[in-house]
């Protein structure tokens, strides 16, 4: 955890350019959502193809409250997160009875409906051209006007979220979630309240997305429906899977990698989409357990190569918590 | 109140037929491999786009469509052989991500080669609308419905009369047993990808004269196809076709009677409500056969 904090803190020092800091901030937003989604997908085994909707709901809520209604940001942000959580709770009740592809379809449908509403409710959301004039984040009289300041705020939130996730994963609840993933019947037989746990993790993941959404809205000061559509939901899932299911660091790595990748691919102009697709396919084909698993394996191989004589004391793996 | 209903019904059935064909493609692949193929919509797009491109290259329309459909079928086979088979039995989510990657790739290639423009295909037999029961029906709608029915009929025969069809059914029922009986499950998987490429492309080619096409139409068509599949009960081909038609009609009625702005939402709202009431889809029972 400390190493992660150092890494996050040191990242902007290595970058001189505001543009790169902006990318880092975007990475943090996505990492937040992906971390929540990973709790839901990787640990509890429930697929959601509509998580962009929770991100968007929070972003639009705080946008409308602060820009249209003129409320202060410290009202808008919690309200945005609360709306995400509430909506998640409402749809969790019927949705989580479904399984596998049916669950995927239901969350997908929900996501699409929400993004259509963003597009069509023009007098509230500004429609397809977007919502402008969201105030910058201001807390206790301090306005986060510089990108670096905002980065530290987001990175701090991400670090905190990681801490919370770890506590949850290592707790009784986390074990219950993993049990549900393996077999719902078995978990139930062991006395796990399946419905309650699934609902909890669904709402929690929506809260993560909501936090990211409000931060996103106040960072860009502009939101448009295209950021919250089906494509983004798919990207999120891809980040979870590419990073490595049921691995906290994998989720963060997946999010950072896939968020910054298109920026590096800008050099290739229109080829970027091709390369993105090809990399996705290649990663999945050759690194099926994601970056976390792939790099872990790579480290193991390198270690074995560098130290042919076996050491008696097993070193603590940095990714020892990847299985929880 | 019901003014315009026949009109909406016809246009709904027309679009629904394409959803149905897409959904059939999903079902084919799901039944033999257990994968939800997110590149299914791209097959539909390929059918439309390739027809347009080949027509422009000088081929007569029927030949252009035939060639486009065959190319898409080939693309399906290629996809299975190149990226699905090597991965073998990895987690379903990984396979789904691979299909998403393929869909991005295909979309990217089409965009790079033919650009982001919207293309049209001429109607098969003129554009002069016919009047049937107070509805003005484009001849192309009749083509769409007729071809869809024809394809459905052919599929029915294929599954019940041919050795290949029966072999595919066997894979769907119990893969291991099918393999033990000497059926090459791998070849059937490739075949199912080819067939779903074929079905999707047929849908794309016959709908393009009505709705136009561009490199990115596959996303929404794929989603609607998936929805139709779930609506009909995943794994049931005729449920999938029916699901497509129902979805198209619902959408058309919603757009006509309530609001066209929320056209795409109606289908999904109805689908969600249905799933909450009957989580296995309209025609899928928990114990029903998967084909």
């Amino acid at each position: 955890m400390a190493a992660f904090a150092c890494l996050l803190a040191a990242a902007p020092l290595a970058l001189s350019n505001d543009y790169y800091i902006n990318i880092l901030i975007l990475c943090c937003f996505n990492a937040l959502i992906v971390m929540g989604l990973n709790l839901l997908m990787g640990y509890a085994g429930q697929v959601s193809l509509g998580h962009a909707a929770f991100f968007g709901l929070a972003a639009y809520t705080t946008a409308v409250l602060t820009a249209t209604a003129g409320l202060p940001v410290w009202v808008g942000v919690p309200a945005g997160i609360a709306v995400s959580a509430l909506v998640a709770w409402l749809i969790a009740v019927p949705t989580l009875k479904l399984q596998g592809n049916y669950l995927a379809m239901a969350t997908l449908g929900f996501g699409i409906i929400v993004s259509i509403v963003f597009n069509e409710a023009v007098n509230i959301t500004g429609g397809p051209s977007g919502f402008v004039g969201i105030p910058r984040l201001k807390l206790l009289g301090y306005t986060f006007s510089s990108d670096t300041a905002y980065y530290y705020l987001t990175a701090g939130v991400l670090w905190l979220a990681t801490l919370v996730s770890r506590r949850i994963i290592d707790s009784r609840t986390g074990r219950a979630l993993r049990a549900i993933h393996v077999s719902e019947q078995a978990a139930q037989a062991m006395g796990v309240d399946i419905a309650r746990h699934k609902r909890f993790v669904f709402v929690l993941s929506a809260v993560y997305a909501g936090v990211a959404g409000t931060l996103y809205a106040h960072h860009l000061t502009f939101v448009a429906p295209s950021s919250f559509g089906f494509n983004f939901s798919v990207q999120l899932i891809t980040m979870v899977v590419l990073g490595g299911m049921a691995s906290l660091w994998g989720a963060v790595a997946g999010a950072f990698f896939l968020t910054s990748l298109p920026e590096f691919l800008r050099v290739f102009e229109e080829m970027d989409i091709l390369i993105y697709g090809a990399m996705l396919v290649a990663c999945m084909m050759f690194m099926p357990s994601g970056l976390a698993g792939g790099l872990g394996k790579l480290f193991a191989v390198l270690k074995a190569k560098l130290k042919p004589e076996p050491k008696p004391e097993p070193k603590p793996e940095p990714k020892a918590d990847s299985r929880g | 109140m019901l003014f315009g209903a026949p009109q909406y019904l016809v246009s709904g059935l027309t679009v629904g037929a394409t959803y149905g064909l897409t959904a059939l493609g999903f079902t084919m692949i799901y039944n033999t491999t257990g994968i939800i193929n997110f590149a299914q919509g791209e097959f539909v797009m390929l059918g439309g786009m390739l027809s347009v491109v080949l027509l422009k290259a000088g081929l007569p329309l029927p030949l252009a469509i035939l060639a486009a459909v065959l190319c898409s079928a080939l693309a399906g086979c290629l996809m299975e052989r190149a990226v699905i088979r090597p991965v073998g039995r990895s987690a379903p989510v990984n396979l789904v991500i691979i299909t998403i990657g393929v869909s991005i790739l295909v979309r990217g290639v089409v965009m790079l080669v033919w650009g982001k423009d919207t293309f049209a295909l001429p109607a098969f037999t003129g554009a002069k609308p016919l009047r049937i029961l107070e509805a003005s029906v484009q001849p192309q709608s009749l083509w769409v419905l007729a071809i869809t029915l024809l394809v459905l009929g052919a599929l029915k025969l294929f599954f019940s009369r041919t050795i290949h069809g029966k072999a595919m059914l066997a894979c769907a029922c119990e893969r291991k047993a099918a393999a033990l009986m000497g059926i090459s499950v791998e070849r059937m998987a490739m075949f199912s990808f080819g067939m779903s490429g074929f079905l999707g492309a047929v849908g794309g080619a016959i709908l393009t004269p009505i709705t136009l096409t561009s490199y990115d139409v596959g996303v929404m068509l794929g989603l609607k196809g998936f929805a139709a599949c779930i609506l009909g009960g995943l794994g049931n081909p005729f449920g999938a076709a029916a699901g497509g038609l129902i979805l198209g009609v619902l959408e058309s009625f919603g757009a006509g009677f309530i609001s066209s702005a929320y056209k795409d939402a109606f289908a999904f709202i109805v689908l969600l409500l249905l799933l909450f009431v009957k989580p296995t889809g309209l025609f899928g029972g928990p114990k029903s056969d998967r084909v």
Side-chain angles (χ1 to χ4, degrees), chain B residues 133-157:
Chain B
L133 291 174
E134 293 174 60
S136 78
V137 180
Q138 287 184 20
Q140 186 66 27
S141 293
L142 298 180
W143 275 106
V144 170
L145 289 174
I147 291 178
T148 307
L149 285 177
L150 201 71
V151 168
L152 273 175
L155 272 181
K156 181 88 188 158
L157 284 179

Side-chain angles (χ1 to χ4, degrees), chain A residues 98 101-102 106 112 120 274 288, chain B residues 36 94 105 112 223 234 261 272 279:
Chain A
L98 304 169
N101 291 314
Y102 291 91
I112 290 180
E120 301 298 340
L274 271 186
Chain B
I36 294 291
N94 290 14
L105 206 62
L112 280 179
L223 293 183
L234 191 56
L272 281 187

Side-chain angles (χ1 to χ4, degrees), chain A residues 54-207:
Chain A
F54 296 118
F55 181 55
L57 277 172
Y60 270 106
T61 303
T62 186
V64 169
L65 286 181
T66 54
T68 313
L71 292 171
V73 171
W74 58 262
V75 176
V77 169
I81 299 167
V83 165
S84 277
L86 185 71
V87 172
W89 188 79
L90 284 176
I91 74 156
V93 178
T95 307
L96 293 177
K97 281 189 194 139
L98 304 169
Q99 287 182 342
N101 291 314
Y102 291 91
L103 175 64
M105 187 64 235
T107 51
L108 172 91
F110 162 74
I112 290 180
I113 293 166
V114 170
S115 83
I116 290 172
V117 171
F118 289 155
N119 260 310
E120 301 298 340
V122 178
N123 42 12
I124 304 172
T125 63
S129 48
F131 190 107
V132 288
I134 305 166
R136 280 199 160 255
L137 197 63
K138 202 169 149 187
L139 282 178
L140 309 168
Y142 178 76
T143 311
F144 289 87
S145 48
S146 90
D147 284 339
T148 317
Y150 210 87
Y151 167 75
Y152 279 113
L153 174 76
T154 342
V157 173
L158 176 61
W159 188 80
L160 238 119
T162 318
L163 206 67
V164 172
S165 300
R166 271 187 66 151
R167 294 302 291 264
I168 290 172
I169 292 164
D170 292 337
S171 73
R172 196 184 162 81
T173 309
R175 287 194 297 278
L177 291 178
R178 269 171 281 157
I180 291 173
H181 190 172
V182 176
S183 162
E184 289 195 12
Q185 281 90 349
Q188 194 161 31
M190 297 305 288
V192 173
D193 184 343
I194 298 186
R196 197 171 63 85
H197 278 92
K198 278 186 174 174
R199 205 156 58 225
F200 165 76
V201 71
F202 194 73
V203 172
L204 182 75
S205 69
V207 166

